[in-house]
Amino acid sequence: DEGQIQASLRQALQSGTLALPEAYEPLRAAIAGVLRRAAGRVEIKNADERQIARPRQAVLESAEFQALWQRIKNKTIYRVAFAPEKLIAVCAEAVRRMPAIGRSRLQWQRAAIGIGQAGVTATLTAAAAPVTLGESALAWPDPLTILEERTRLTRRSLYQIVTASGRLDDFTRNPQEFLDQAAAQINGAKRRAIVDGIKYQRLGDEQYYAQELFGQEELAGYLKSMLPVKRSVYDYVIYQSAIERDFAEELERNEAVKVYAKLPARFVVKTPLGPYCPDWAVLVEKDGVERLYFVVETKASLDDSDLRGKEEAKIRCGEAHFLALAEGNDNPARFVKARTVGDLLTEA
């Protein structure tokens, strides 16, 4: 009645259960958009549903978990080896193959501005036809300085990349679009070169992640994103997505899984692209006799092309890290990507 957003409306918008009269159904997307802007991005959480996930000492001290932890706890150091000439050639080819770039265009638009509960809105009232700008009308920035900031390569290398790509005409035609696309292509090629040339080496026996990682801090969550479990290190699994929830449910149901853990956020693998945090550690018993150990990355798709470039590169670094830990071990922990426990058992 007072024109204020109620908690019930925020909950309906968040859960997708907004009720509308039938006559307004065709406008659902537009109405929900206005309401979301008015409601803000506040997520409503019920304090009564807050729950602490506590570690199970019996599981932590069990022979099964100890055997699993011994295979994944050690730290590594990495080095990257690649030939500068090859990197320049690969980057130049990536820039050469990037999509065509059109000329810079200018368009005038007029809009009516409205201020209300939903914030500031603009309604387009008129627009002129686009005008193509000639090269003489453009202020050219220094391309090497901008690319140097975005790619962290030297000016000399960038000069060689840009000239070898044969795309300098695109820079004069549309400097901003050229620099955006070129930086993205160079960084993508750089990531691939880093991953292809990375090599991990296990550090000494005194360099490892302590098992106390599981008990140093309490994990807190809300019941709608927590799953009560029995075979895990914690009495609850706090999941971030439906994929993680479904995977945890399958781990609980499958009798071949003896123990598992959603790895703590501080269990990280160092990579040149930033820290990588693997998802799960799992012990599977095959035919009731042989024990197999896994570190699992759960993804909705197993196709590398479906992952963002940086994310996929970090995962490949994680795989190289666990390969280094596997050296000299007759039954090491294997790194796998899986959508379901069925994918994991196929590896087993």
Side-chain angles (χ1 to χ4, degrees):
D1 293 339
E2 297 177 358
Q4 300 297 317
I5 299 297
Q6 303 293 316
S8 57
L9 175 57
R10 287 193 171 96
Q11 291 171 343
L13 290 169
Q14 185 178 347
S15 61
T17 58
L18 177 66
L20 289 177
E22 185 176 351
Y24 293 96
E25 277 296 329
L27 300 173
R28 171 176 287 275
I31 292 171
V34 171
L35 291 175
R36 285 194 184 92
R37 290 193 294 273
R41 303 181 67 180
V42 178
E43 183 179 358
I44 302 301
K45 294 181 178 179
N46 187 345
D48 293 336
E49 295 182 350
R50 183 176 171 84
Q51 181 69 39
I52 301 297
R54 294 182 173 84
R56 288 192 176 98
Q57 290 302 318
V59 176
L60 284 170
E61 296 169 5
S62 67
E64 290 86 356
F65 182 75
Q66 290 294 321
L68 175 59
W69 187 249
Q70 290 297 321
R71 286 165 169 79
I72 67 173
K73 69 177 185 178
N74 286 91
K75 297 182 180 181
T76 58
I77 190 171
Y78 67 82
R79 60 182 176 85
V80 179
F82 57 85
E85 298 79 9
K86 183 178 179 181
L87 176 62
I88 290 171
V90 169
C91 290
E93 178 64 14
V95 173
R96 186 185 70 80
R97 295 172 65 88
M98 68 186 185
I101 295 175
R103 292 185 180 277
S104 298
R105 297 193 303 170
L106 180 67
Q107 184 181 33
W108 293 98
Q109 295 181 335
R110 180 178 297 143
I113 303 297
I115 302 176
Q117 283 189 322
V120 178
T121 59
T123 304
L124 185 65
T125 59
V131 176
T132 300
L133 299 180
E135 296 175 8
S136 60
L138 301 176
W140 292 350
D142 177 3
L144 297 184
T145 298
I146 294 175
L147 290 176
E148 185 179 19
E149 292 174 353
R150 296 187 184 182
T151 67
R152 301 299 179 186
L153 294 180
T154 65
R155 292 177 66 87
R156 180 179 179 182
S157 296
L158 290 168
Y159 173 79
Q160 292 176 298
I161 290 168
V162 172
T163 53
S165 71
R167 298 292 296 268
L168 269 176
D169 287 345
D170 287 328
F171 170 72
T172 59
R173 185 180 299 117
N174 192 331
Q176 185 63 52
E177 182 68 16
F178 173 83
L179 292 172
D180 289 343
Q181 288 201 32
Q185 294 295 333
I186 291 171
N187 282 329
K190 205 173 72 170
R191 281 196 298 268
R192 291 188 291 272
I194 287 173
V195 173
D196 290 342
I198 199 164
K199 177 69 175 178
Y200 281 85
Q201 182 178 349
R202 174 177 168 170
L203 294 172
D205 291 339
E206 69 281 357
Q207 298 291 328
Y208 61 89
Y209 288 102
Q211 190 173 299
E212 285 72 26
L213 278 179
F214 291 96
Q216 286 178 346
E217 58 185 27
E218 289 185 329
L219 299 181
Y222 291 84
L223 291 177
K224 63 183 180 181
S225 60
M226 298 177 73
L227 180 72
V229 292
K230 297 180 179 179
R231 299 180 184 179
S232 171
V233 168
Y234 289 98
D235 54 4
Y236 286 89
V237 166
I238 302 176
Y239 54 85
Q240 306 297 325
S241 65
I243 293 292
E244 288 188 351
R245 180 200 61 210
D246 295 345
F247 194 80
E249 289 176 344
E250 290 184 66
L251 288 171
E252 282 294 307
R253 288 195 300 264
N254 199 297
E255 295 182 357
V257 177
K258 297 306 175 185
V259 67
Y260 68 92
K262 195 167 189 300
L263 291 168
R266 287 192 288 177
F267 184 92
V268 297
V269 176
K270 293 182 179 179
T271 82
L273 307 169
Y276 164 66
C277 304
D279 290 332
W280 309 86
V282 183
L283 189 157
V284 173
E285 192 169 87
K286 184 179 178 183
D287 301 326
V289 178
E290 184 182 4
R291 287 180 176 175
L292 302 174
Y293 307 90
F294 296 93
V295 176
V296 185
E297 179 70 28
T298 45
K299 292 296 176 190
S301 172
L302 301 185
D303 186 353
D304 290 344
S305 63
D306 290 340
L307 301 176
R308 295 189 300 271
K310 192 171 183 179
E311 180 185 9
E312 189 268 333
K314 284 186 177 182
I315 292 173
R316 289 181 60 187
C317 289
E319 184 176 13
H321 162 85
F322 288 105
L323 280 174
L325 297 188
E327 292 179 5
N329 194 323
D330 293 335
N331 188 10
R334 287 185 275 167
F335 181 90
V336 299
K337 287 187 291 185
R339 295 165 301 178
T340 65
V341 172
D343 293 335
L344 175 61
L345 296 180
T346 298
E347 291 287 336

